[in-house]
Amino acid sequence: MPSATATHSHRPTTKVQPKSFKSRKTTKGALRDQAKGKVPNERGMRKTPHQQVMSKFDRRNQAKQRQIAKHKEHQKETSVFSGRDAAPRIVAVVPLCADVDVSAAIKSLNDSLDIESEITETSFRVSVDRFKQKLQYVPTGRDLTASMDAARTADYVVFVLSSEVEVDGLGELIIRSIENQGMSTLFTVVQNLDKIQPVKARPDVVKSLVSFMTHFHPGQEKIYSLDSRQECSNLMRSLCTTTPKGINWRDQRSWMLVDEVQWPSSETESTVLTGFVRGKGLKADRLVHVGDWGAFQIEKIVAAPLSSKKRKDDVMAVDESEAENVLETPDEDQDDLAELAPEEAIMDDVDADEGVTDPTSKKGVLLDDHHYFSEDEPEAYVAPKKLPKGTSNYQAAWFLDDVSDSESDLDDEEMADVDMPPAPEDGMEGVANREPTEAAMSEYPQSEMFVEPNEDDDAAQLEAYRARKRDEAEEDKEFPDEIELHPNVLARERLSKYRGLKSLRTSPWNTEEDRPYQPEEWARLLQISDYNSSRNRSIREALVGGVAPGTRVHVHLKNVPRELEKSYSPSRPVSLFSLLRHENKKTSLNFDVTHKEDFEKSIKAKEELIVQCGPRRFVINPLFSLGGNTENDVHKYCRYLHPGQSAIATFMGPITWGAVPTLFFKRTNPEDGNGVSLQLVATGTARAPSTSRVIAKRVILTGHPYHIHKKVVTIRYMFFNREDVEWFKALPLWTKRGRTGYIKESLGTHGYFKANFDGRINPQDSVGVSLYKRVWPRNAVPFTGPLLEEGASRLQDEEMDEDVQ
């Protein structure tokens, strides 16, 4: 019988590992290792309240609160449209084709809901009983000015297309202008779709129109047919129930579409504008801008509720009786119409102007903030003394020339002659030059005799050089600021206003030199130290007070010229915009401008343009400059704005707070502008104005290397007399390939000079010098009248009719 054998094994360790699933047995060290440096808070590992695990009841309650908040926001946005005496929803009907009938389009929309109303050429209101809303149609016709004025005051814009005639150049200009100035909710309709035969071709027409509209507005995927009663009904439902998107810059102000204008019968009476207040509350203390009329002060604001019973004459006359309800009158805080600061504000600067030195008394050009070589008296020549080695300037004053110290221990061999340059063996007192080699340039190159050229030969060589240079400039615009001086013109007189800068971005700009040339009203412009805080303060001020939006009022204006009554036409929409505080004061305005790719030509600076910024239009001659932030706030002036480029446009005009979209128009030849005599050449946005922003116009004088000896070059054709070389001697030189240098000395009397460079230059290289002067923005003039003449629009419509026939 086999004996029972038992195997024996030792435990690997006597330490018992705790069970990992029992956390209460875990040691503090183990817990610290598991946390890996994370420190738990009182609420657990979730940091924010949104990361906390909420119960089902809390989640349901939170969703309900969001729903209630959204409902209140929707009610606030549509509160002006709800109620018996609520404001109507403004609908601008804009035709884009020549054969579109606006009155027929409005009639089709009204007939879809069985609304009976008289269709007029002016704005009119209709009541939509099915949706308990009121609509105010603003028909515009094919007029660019009327279309833009109606679109910036409309809650909804309806573009009317034709199924037979394509959109012409005027129609595209209207689309781009309305789009870039800011537009609320957009709808697109097509007219005369039933005339397309065969019927199968109609969907293709609609698809092509959708493709056309999505090119300008990608969200316009639906085009309503005015020939379909069902689609017209759907569009009316959208107009009555959709919350308008609004325009940001418009909603920051109080505005009103003028329904009626009552002109005064005597000089003591005021002009009365009637309409519904929209946007923010209308304040009597702020100025108002009315269409192209200008800015005016408010005398008083009177309530003008709609009468419940229709009167026989159907005229909404102003109630001048004692029972009129005056809602608001101005107080001592009312803004004035002054555009500039009073003249007394600049009287303190008269003494400062007297201290400005006449630039003609200087002996050299201004470089950064110093006139070099312009000391009153040259330093007297001091003969060198024989001094011991190591003698300082202070000790040298104690050695007299007229006393001979015969008992001195100094021998003649121990004296050092100061007029000799220190040798390398002198140690620290000398410059340790490196060993000269065959290829190295000696400090004093071998001089050559300069031969004065013949005047006739020199003139012929100059003409040939410049003719060859003009061909290169046409092919490569590498030097856009280059100018050429006539040999008989003195450069120091021709360029007396210019100065030099070591660095355009960092060198200080001496403003004292600009005072004799600045405009007269420059010191009286509005000075804004902190634009952001001033803008926020003005916008916040408009949030409180004033006549509540949705109220129908009579606005009494002061001092409206009687000549405006002759130019007023009820068929053109007139808008009233309340200006924020200080928005009537002039300053130096800056705009971010982008050249439109549709306009293929370059825009020249100081060229006359028509600009629209918010509710105002001006005729300007802008300056273009490079953008960006620099240490010295100096920016290079651009002579042209080429297609696809962006720049900063500057001119003097009334300030507009906020980032307001801006449009730039230019008068063109109708043959070059798709049959329209006006083109949208650029768009932009208002940015912070500044009177301290320096726009520096640069000119470049170039010369030709006549003789090259290593790093020493003889330059010609930059100047043409010795005095000009001495005047501009302090300016740094540069070459096209990146070498820098300085003028060493003048040669002869024809403007030749010798220059030193930091390296060997190429014989094909051009040597240049940069000069700058400050250019001042020009004043803007208010624009009045239509953007496009009526004859131009009619002529194009007739041409389109001939094409259709």
Side-chain angles (χ1 to χ4, degrees):
M1 179 177 182
S3 61
T5 60
T7 60
H8 177 74
S9 64
H10 293 281
R11 290 184 179 180
T13 178
T14 58
K15 186 176 180 181
V16 179
Q17 293 290 339
K19 297 179 174 60
S20 60
F21 58 86
K22 292 187 177 182
S23 60
R24 67 185 183 90
K25 301 292 186 182
T26 308
T27 61
K28 293 182 180 180
L31 290 176
R32 186 168 58 251
D33 295 339
Q34 288 181 1
K36 296 181 179 179
K38 299 178 183 178
V39 180
N41 54 16
E42 297 178 358
R43 295 186 178 183
M45 301 301 294
R46 300 179 185 270
K47 302 295 184 182
T48 63
H50 295 284
Q51 293 177 337
Q52 303 296 329
V53 177
M54 293 187 300
S55 63
K56 183 178 181 180
F57 176 79
D58 293 338
R59 295 196 302 270
R60 184 180 298 172
N61 185 36
Q62 191 180 60
K64 185 177 180 180
Q65 289 177 352
R66 285 197 299 262
Q67 184 180 5
I68 293 174
K70 188 174 182 180
H71 180 66
K72 288 183 179 180
E73 183 181 357
H74 175 72
Q75 283 185 336
K76 184 179 180 181
E77 292 177 352
T78 59
S79 60
V80 294
F81 304 132
S82 60
R84 182 177 179 182
D85 298 330
R89 296 172 181 258
I90 303 174
V91 181
V93 185
V94 181
L96 299 180
C97 302
D99 64 337
V100 168
D101 189 354
V102 178
S103 300
I106 298 176
K107 188 175 184 304
S108 299
L109 295 177
N110 291 341
D111 291 344
S112 64
L113 297 180
D114 299 328
I115 300 174
E116 295 182 0
S117 177
E118 182 182 358
I119 309 299
T120 61
E121 295 183 355
T122 60
S123 63
F124 62 95
R125 289 187 298 272
V126 295
S127 179
V128 185
D129 297 334
R130 179 182 297 183
F131 303 106
K132 297 181 182 180
Q133 293 290 322
K134 300 181 183 66
L135 297 180
Q136 183 173 359
Y137 293 105
V138 185
T140 60
R142 284 173 56 81
D143 187 351
L144 177 62
T145 308
S147 301
M148 296 180 65
D149 292 343
R152 68 185 177 190
T153 58
D155 299 307
Y156 308 96
V157 178
V158 178
F159 284 155
V160 186
L161 299 173
S162 174
S163 60
E164 298 176 335
V165 179
E166 296 181 354
V167 179
D168 54 0
L170 178 59
E172 292 187 6
L173 179 60
I174 292 175
I175 295 176
R176 298 182 186 277
S177 301
I178 292 177
E179 175 190 8
N180 287 281
Q181 76 169 357
M183 179 177 56
S184 189
T185 307
L186 173 66
F187 296 99
T188 307
V189 299
V190 59
Q191 201 174 41
N192 300 328
L193 189 60
D194 290 347
K195 294 183 180 180
I196 300 298
Q197 296 295 334
V199 180
K200 295 181 179 180
R202 295 174 186 176
D204 297 335
V205 174
V206 174
K207 287 182 181 179
S208 65
L209 294 177
V210 170
S211 176
F212 174 78
M213 288 305 300
T214 53
H215 174 70
F216 300 98
H217 303 279
Q220 287 295 302
E221 298 179 355
K222 172 65 177 175
I223 292 183
Y224 298 88
S225 175
L226 294 177
D227 298 330
S228 173
R229 182 183 178 91
Q230 181 63 37
E231 293 191 9
C232 290
S233 177
N234 294 339
L235 178 57
M236 291 294 288
R237 177 186 296 273
S238 299
L239 293 175
C240 295
T241 59
T242 304
T243 303
K245 184 176 60 176
I247 305 174
N248 186 26
W249 68 267
R250 183 186 70 180
D251 295 338
Q252 293 176 349
R253 298 160 174 81
S254 178
W255 55 277
M256 182 179 73
L257 177 62
V258 178
D259 298 335
E260 180 187 357
V261 179
Q262 182 177 350
W263 300 97
S265 57
S266 62
E267 296 181 357
T268 58
E269 297 180 358
S270 58
T271 305
V272 182
L273 306 182
T274 306
F276 286 89
V277 178
R278 298 291 304 277
K280 298 296 184 291
L282 180 61
K283 297 183 179 180
D285 292 335
R286 303 283 82 83
L287 300 177
V288 293
H289 185 86
V290 182
D292 293 336
W293 300 359
F296 303 97
Q297 289 180 320
I298 295 178
E299 182 179 345
K300 59 182 177 180
I301 302 175
V302 182
L306 289 172
S307 177
S308 58
K309 297 181 181 179
K310 295 184 179 179
R311 284 182 264 180
K312 296 181 180 180
D313 54 358
D314 198 19
V315 176
M316 302 302 297
V318 180
D319 187 7
E320 297 293 344
S321 63
E322 298 178 356
E324 68 179 5
N325 183 13
V326 179
L327 300 178
E328 190 166 339
T329 55
D331 52 18
E332 64 276 1
D333 193 34
Q334 186 179 21
D335 296 337
D336 56 4
L337 295 173
E339 297 180 345
L340 300 172
E343 295 183 358
E344 291 79 6
I346 61 174
M347 294 302 294
D348 298 337
D349 298 336
V350 175
D351 298 337
D353 292 342
E354 293 178 356
V356 178
T357 308
D358 186 8
T360 58
S361 62
K362 299 296 182 180
K363 298 181 181 179
V365 66
L366 177 66
L367 180 60
D368 288 352
D369 55 353
H370 182 67
H371 281 275
Y372 290 84
F373 314 115
S374 297
E375 289 75 10
D376 296 336
E377 293 294 336
E379 295 182 359
Y381 174 75
V382 180
K385 301 178 181 179
K386 290 186 176 181
L387 301 173
K389 294 181 180 180
T391 304
S392 64
N393 294 332
Y394 176 77
Q395 295 171 341
W398 295 91
F399 289 87
L400 303 180
D401 291 339
D402 55 347
V403 178
S404 176
D405 191 1
S406 59
E407 298 180 358
S408 175
D409 296 334
L410 298 175
D411 297 331
D412 292 342
E413 291 83 2
E414 296 177 351
M415 295 291 179
D417 199 354
V418 180
D419 57 353
M420 294 297 293
E425 56 268 22
D426 293 338
M428 295 297 296
E429 296 183 10
V431 179
N433 294 330
R434 63 181 182 179
E435 290 292 333
T437 59
E438 184 178 356
M441 185 189 78
S442 60
E443 185 175 359
Y444 291 95
Q446 183 179 2
S447 60
E448 299 179 3
M449 183 181 63
F450 177 74
V451 180
E452 190 76 18
N454 188 7
E455 295 185 0
D456 297 336
D457 297 341
D458 190 43
Q461 294 177 8
L462 173 63
E463 185 63 27
Y465 169 72
R466 287 187 171 177
R468 177 179 57 84
K469 201 172 184 181
R470 277 193 290 267
D471 296 338
E472 295 177 358
E474 293 176 358
E475 297 176 359
D476 186 14
K477 296 181 180 179
E478 196 166 356
F479 295 107
D481 302 318
E482 183 178 340
I483 64 171
E484 295 179 349
L485 297 176
H486 194 272
N488 298 328
V489 175
L490 298 179
R492 60 186 181 278
E493 296 180 0
R494 168 70 173 80
L495 306 175
S496 60
K497 298 181 181 179
Y498 288 82
R499 69 184 74 184
L501 291 178
K502 295 179 181 178
S503 174
L504 180 62
R505 294 176 175 84
T506 59
S507 295
W509 186 276
N510 188 355
T511 57
E512 297 295 332
E513 298 284 339
D514 299 328
R515 287 192 176 186
Y517 311 112
Q518 70 181 16
E520 297 179 358
E521 65 273 16
W522 188 259
R524 301 173 59 189
L525 296 178
L526 179 64
Q527 308 288 334
I528 304 173
S529 58
D530 190 350
Y531 173 77
N532 291 331
S533 62
S534 301
R535 177 199 59 194
N536 296 336
R537 190 183 306 112
S538 300
I539 293 177
R540 284 196 304 265
E541 187 181 15
L543 299 176
V544 183
V547 180
T551 308
R552 193 171 187 270
V553 296
H554 296 306
V555 182
H556 295 250
L557 302 181
K558 299 180 183 179
N559 303 325
V560 179
R562 296 295 300 270
E563 293 80 10
L564 296 175
E565 184 178 0
K566 300 178 183 179
S567 60
Y568 171 69
S569 175
S571 60
R572 294 180 178 270
V574 178
S575 59
L576 180 146
F577 281 84
S578 178
L579 300 179
L580 301 178
R581 188 183 292 271
H582 305 304
E583 279 197 331
N584 192 53
K585 298 179 181 179
K586 284 188 176 182
T587 185
S588 178
L589 304 180
N590 299 316
F591 295 87
D592 286 316
V593 180
T594 302
H595 192 290
K596 295 289 289 184
E597 296 179 356
D598 302 331
F599 188 69
E600 299 178 354
K601 297 183 178 180
S602 300
I603 306 173
K604 188 177 181 180
K606 302 180 183 179
E607 193 174 17
E608 183 176 295
L609 300 176
I610 302 174
V611 62
Q612 174 179 311
C613 180
R616 295 179 285 201
R617 297 189 183 101
F618 303 99
V619 179
I620 63 171
N621 301 90
L623 302 179
F624 297 133
S625 59
L626 297 179
N629 297 325
T630 59
E631 296 181 10
N632 53 4
D633 203 11
V634 178
H635 306 267
K636 179 184 170 299
Y637 167 80
C638 301
R639 290 177 171 81
Y640 288 91
L641 182 63
H642 298 289
Q645 290 184 351
S646 299
I648 303 297
T650 306
F651 59 90
M652 289 190 295
I655 186 176
T656 302
W657 297 111
V660 180
T662 309
L663 285 73
F664 295 85
F665 297 94
K666 179 183 177 181
R667 302 284 186 188
T668 57
N669 189 357
E671 297 179 358
D672 300 336
N674 297 327
V676 184
S677 59
L678 188 75
Q679 287 290 314
L680 179 64
V681 296
T683 57
T685 306
R687 59 176 297 173
S690 175
T691 55
S692 61
R693 188 177 189 271
V694 177
I695 302 177
K697 182 179 181 180
R698 181 173 69 186
V699 297
I700 297 175
L701 299 178
T702 58
H704 175 63
Y706 178 63
H707 184 272
I708 301 175
H709 182 78
K710 298 180 181 179
K711 296 182 181 180
V712 180
V713 185
T714 301
I715 309 297
R716 63 175 179 176
Y717 300 156
M718 182 179 291
F719 306 107
F720 299 97
N721 55 76
R722 186 184 187 89
E723 291 77 10
D724 288 344
V725 177
E726 297 296 334
W727 177 267
F728 295 102
K729 189 175 182 179
L731 297 180
L733 302 176
W734 51 266
T735 68
K736 185 170 61 174
R737 290 176 170 83
R739 293 296 182 186
T740 58
Y742 60 93
I743 298 177
K744 183 180 179 181
E745 60 179 344
S746 177
L747 301 176
T749 59
H750 287 202
Y752 288 57
F753 61 89
K754 188 180 293 185
N756 281 7
F757 287 89
D758 60 350
R760 187 186 297 271
I761 71 171
N762 194 298
Q764 303 297 327
D765 209 348
S766 296
V767 181
V769 62
S770 299
L771 294 166
Y772 301 90
K773 80 166 182 178
R774 184 173 185 177
V775 289
W776 304 92
R778 300 187 180 184
N779 200 5
V781 180
F783 177 82
T784 57
L787 293 172
L788 270 176
E789 300 295 336
E790 297 182 0
S793 301
R794 293 178 181 176
L795 179 61
Q796 188 171 13
D797 291 346
E798 292 176 358
E799 293 177 355
M800 293 298 298
D801 293 340
E802 292 178 358
D803 296 339
V804 172
Q805 295 175 358

